Amino acid sequence: MQVTTTRITDVKLIHPRIFEDSRGFFMESWNARAMAEAGIAATFVQDNHSLSIMGTLRGLHYQLDKPQGKLVRCTAGSVFDVAVDLRPESSTYRQWAGETLSSDNKLQLWIPPGFAHGFLVLSDEAEVQYKCTEYYSPTSEQCIHWADPSLAIDWPLVGEPLLSEKDAEGLALADAPPIE
């Protein structure tokens, strides 16, 4: 496994070792020892799996208390995955990093606690799976508007995205409550 940094040093792109032959492939999607050696020491308590159609944009979500670290991968199709740093003490506070994750490239994105997360589906449909370091807390969930001009995220959009009501009504970054 190779781990590289993104525009935000604490957000890591994980390149797993892929063993392929005529039968298919094998890879480790999580190895606690190898990840800890790469600076990612996480204990996961919840796995999530979503299916979305092309043009769906989910996010930018975060939790006020018990922020979630996430290890994200796309197991079918392709997505543009984004992390926004919401840690006030960070040198990259209110900056974003984005990477294309797909079933073809098998890359994973480590997003530590203290970040908002979202993704845009680039393929006809996509399945995204991610491990979380904290349980989902609907009472503390927040949403930053995906098109906030102060973030200027370079989403690779073709037309208007498909949004949930919650995501369409996301807060401006300036109005979003800070993570505790």
Side-chain angles (χ1 to χ4, degrees):
M1 161 187 29
Q2 178 187 3
V3 178
T4 58
T5 60
T6 64
R7 297 171 47 159
I8 299 174
T9 306
D10 293 337
V11 176
K12 309 287 186 188
L13 192 61
I14 299 159
H15 309 256
R17 288 182 55 197
I18 311 296
F19 301 93
E20 291 184 273
D21 62 24
S22 61
R23 301 167 297 157
F25 76 90
F26 171 85
M27 64 178 253
E28 285 185 347
S29 60
W30 172 253
N31 180 310
R33 182 177 45 233
M35 294 292 191
E37 289 171 2
I40 302 169
T43 301
F44 297 110
V45 299
Q46 180 177 320
D47 279 10
N48 297 330
H49 186 154
S50 71
L51 170 69
S52 305
I53 62 172
M54 181 183 288
T56 297
L57 195 153
R58 298 185 184 271
L60 299 159
H61 304 146
Y62 70 101
Q63 293 185 175
L64 290 176
D65 61 340
K66 297 186 179 179
Q68 295 176 311
K70 297 177 180 177
L71 181 62
V72 185
R73 64 190 181 124
C74 182
T75 55
S78 177
V79 300
F80 183 68
D81 204 79
V82 172
V84 177
D85 192 346
L86 297 178
R87 304 168 300 169
E89 74 288 350
S90 171
S91 64
T92 55
Y93 181 53
R94 296 187 169 185
Q95 294 180 32
W96 65 275
E99 297 289 339
T100 299
L101 308 179
S102 73
S103 54
D104 289 338
N105 68 24
K106 298 176 183 51
L107 297 173
Q108 298 179 81
L109 195 63
W110 165 246
I111 304 169
F115 284 75
H117 172 247
F119 63 86
L120 171 67
V121 178
L122 305 174
S123 52
D124 288 341
E125 61 180 29
E127 292 189 41
V128 174
Q129 298 184 47
Y130 53 100
K131 298 178 159 312
C132 300
T133 60
E134 291 289 345
Y135 295 104
Y136 173 62
S137 174
T139 59
S140 73
E141 184 181 34
Q142 298 293 310
C143 182
I144 296 170
H145 197 274
W146 64 276
D148 184 287
S150 67
L151 287 171
I153 296 172
D154 190 16
W155 297 102
L157 285 165
V158 177
E160 288 297 310
L162 302 172
L163 302 167
S164 69
E165 185 177 328
K166 173 179 65 176
D167 293 345
E169 297 174 356
L171 298 171
L173 180 61
D175 299 330
I179 292 177
E180 297 175 6

